């Protein structure tokens, strides 16, 4: 129970795409008629789909995010990786460094200046030590894997164009998409926090996602507002230097997180 509380507390500090293959029949061979492919996304949804391709090829980026909720305000800076299995490392400026990779959460308190080394500890999750999914955890997973978020919105095709705005001094197209928060049953095997328990949002729970995309079809900013009952989580994430982030790996050695 103590481990579970630590995991939920650490996550609250800051907070896949199925490939569909159609069998195309040759004319006159007696096969069933080919299924017509779904038309490509166009307009605002097409812009998000194109950005998902660009960011998917990059595979990672530097990230800066800000979390706001009742009684909580945290800013983290670090790196996100979404090629393969998502991973994240950040420093929140107060508590130290957090690294999430392979479904495990690693934590290193701020260095005391003696030798500059990081003393990592680890909190592993398994079937005997799962924790419910909280809004903060959902938000963190979604900004750590922006390609999945872009594709999710593009597939829904409910995207609206909010015009051009300035992000970090450069023009960026602003798009918005809103959707219900859906029930989640356990881990997917591809998430940042694989092995988490169920998330059952109440009726009417929603997620509003805003995307800012530059002229190179790179995602430069993503904001999420997750609302469930009277609870709300707001996260703003800025992405920069896609494809240049350091590799995120499990620390070579880590003691159990008590």
């Amino acid at each position: 129970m103590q481990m579970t509380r630590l995991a939920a507390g650490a996550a609250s500090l800051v907070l896949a795409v199925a490939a569909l293959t159609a069998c195309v029949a040759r004319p006159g061979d007696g096969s069933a008629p080919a299924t017509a492919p779904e038309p490509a996304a166009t307009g605002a949804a097409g812009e998000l789909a194109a950005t998902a391709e660009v960011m998917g090829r990059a595979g990672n980026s530097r990230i800066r995010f800000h979390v706001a909720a009742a009684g909580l305000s945290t800013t983290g800076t670090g790196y996100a990786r979404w090629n393969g299995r998502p991973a994240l490392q950040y420093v929140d400026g107060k508590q130290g460094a957090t690294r999430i990779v392979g479904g495990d959460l690693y934590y290193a308190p701020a260095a005391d200046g003696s030798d500059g080394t990081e003393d990592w500890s680890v909190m592993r999750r398994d079937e005997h030590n799962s924790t419910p999914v909280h809004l903060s955890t959902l938000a963190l997973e979604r900004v750590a894997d922006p390609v999945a978020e872009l594709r999710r919105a593009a597939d829904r095709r409910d995207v609206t164009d909010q015009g051009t705005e300035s992000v970090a001094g450069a023009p960026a197209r602003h798009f918005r998409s809103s959707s219900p928060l859906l029930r989640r049953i356990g881990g997917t095997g591809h998430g940042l926090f694989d092995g988490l328990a169920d998330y059952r949002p109440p009726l009417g729970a929603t997620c509003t996602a805003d995307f800012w995309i530059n002229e190179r079809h790179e995602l430069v900013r993503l904001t999420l507002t997750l609302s469930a009952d009277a609870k709300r989580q707001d996260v703003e994430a800025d992405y920069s230097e896609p494809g240049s982030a350091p590799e995120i790996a499990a620390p070579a050695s880590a003691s159990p997180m008590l």
Side-chain angles (χ1 to χ4, degrees), residues 42-131:
T42 58
E47 292 288 337
L48 265 60
T51 302
E53 291 300 315
V54 171
M55 298 300 284
R57 289 193 296 269
N60 63 57
S61 80
R62 298 176 183 270
I63 185 172
R64 176 181 177 88
F65 59 87
H66 178 73
V67 180
L72 173 67
S73 178
T74 302
T75 297
T77 58
Y79 318 104
R81 183 191 76 211
W82 50 83
N83 57 338
R85 192 170 185 175
L88 179 69
Q89 178 171 335
Y90 63 89
V91 177
D92 67 9
K94 294 180 291 185
Q95 301 295 328
T98 299
R99 186 181 299 180
I100 307 167
V101 59
D104 295 334
L105 184 149
Y106 301 87
Y107 173 73
D112 59 9
S114 56
D115 56 8
T117 59
E118 293 177 310
D119 185 16
W120 290 96
S121 57
V122 60
M123 211 301 294
R124 291 187 175 87
R125 294 182 171 88
D126 55 34
E127 65 272 19
H128 305 297
N129 186 30
S130 61
T131 184

Side-chain angles (χ1 to χ4, degrees), residues 17-226:
V17 173
L20 302 178
T21 305
C23 178
V24 180
R26 293 185 300 273
D29 66 358
S31 301
T35 301
E38 187 172 337
T42 58
E47 292 288 337
L48 265 60
T51 302
E53 291 300 315
V54 171
M55 298 300 284
R57 289 193 296 269
N60 63 57
S61 80
R62 298 176 183 270
I63 185 172
R64 176 181 177 88
F65 59 87
H66 178 73
V67 180
L72 173 67
S73 178
T74 302
T75 297
T77 58
Y79 318 104
R81 183 191 76 211
W82 50 83
N83 57 338
R85 192 170 185 175
L88 179 69
Q89 178 171 335
Y90 63 89
V91 177
D92 67 9
K94 294 180 291 185
Q95 301 295 328
T98 299
R99 186 181 299 180
I100 307 167
V101 59
D104 295 334
L105 184 149
Y106 301 87
Y107 173 73
D112 59 9
S114 56
D115 56 8
T117 59
E118 293 177 310
D119 185 16
W120 290 96
S121 57
V122 60
M123 211 301 294
R124 291 187 175 87
R125 294 182 171 88
D126 55 34
E127 65 272 19
H128 305 297
N129 186 30
S130 61
T131 184
V133 177
H134 298 279
L135 278 179
S136 56
T137 304
L138 283 179
L140 182 58
E141 279 197 312
R142 295 174 83 148
V143 300
D145 189 358
V147 171
E149 197 67 28
L150 285 159
R151 288 175 175 157
R152 189 180 293 117
D155 289 346
R156 285 196 306 269
R157 305 192 182 199
D158 64 346
V159 188
T160 59
D161 191 335
Q162 304 293 304
T164 300
E165 301 172 9
S166 178
V167 176
R173 294 275 300 279
H174 178 191
F175 300 94
R176 176 172 295 160
S177 175
S178 295
S179 64
L181 276 177
L182 301 178
R183 180 175 179 175
R184 166 178 168 164
I185 306 299
T188 64
H190 302 286
L192 193 67
F193 290 94
D194 188 29
L196 292 176
D198 297 351
Y199 174 74
R200 297 182 179 88
L203 186 65
T206 61
C207 175
T208 299
D210 286 82
F211 307 87
W212 285 262
I213 298 169
N214 68 15
E215 296 173 343
R216 296 185 297 276
H217 276 100
E218 297 167 343
L219 180 68
V220 294
R221 177 171 291 170
L222 167 62
T223 67
L224 297 173
T225 298
L226 283 70

